[in-house]
Amino acid sequence: MNIRVNGTTREVPDGLTLDRLLAILDQRSEGVAVAVNLEFVPKSAYQHTRLSESDTVEIVAPIAGGLTCGT
């Protein structure tokens, strides 16, 4: 299936969970916030949040002076 991560289309396995996506992207969940379809997901829900075709995922991390998108 295809999803968008920080503006880039990626092909990922069907039924992928948010925590597995972060692992595939080699992105630690500490210090980042993740939104799926413009709704932030609590870290406690990452392992239960399954992504679907055409979902949009934004991974953001704070930096000095503002935020930056991960990946």
Side-chain angles (χ1 to χ4, degrees), residues 43-64:
K43 285 182 180 41
S44 61
Y46 287 5
Q47 69 182 15
H48 303 291
T49 302
R50 294 201 180 278
L51 299 170
S52 299
E53 179 74 30
S54 301
D55 277 349
T56 299
V57 179
E58 296 293 332
I59 303 168
V60 294
I63 60 169

Side-chain angles (χ1 to χ4, degrees), residues 1-12 16 21 25 35 51-59 69-71:
M1 73 177 174
N2 289 305
I3 62 172
R4 289 188 63 79
V5 179
N6 291 350
T8 301
T9 301
R10 294 181 176 265
E11 188 171 340
V12 297
L16 186 71
L21 174 65
L25 298 174
L51 299 170
S52 299
E53 179 74 30
S54 301
D55 277 349
T56 299
V57 179
E58 296 293 332
I59 303 168
C69 291
T71 71

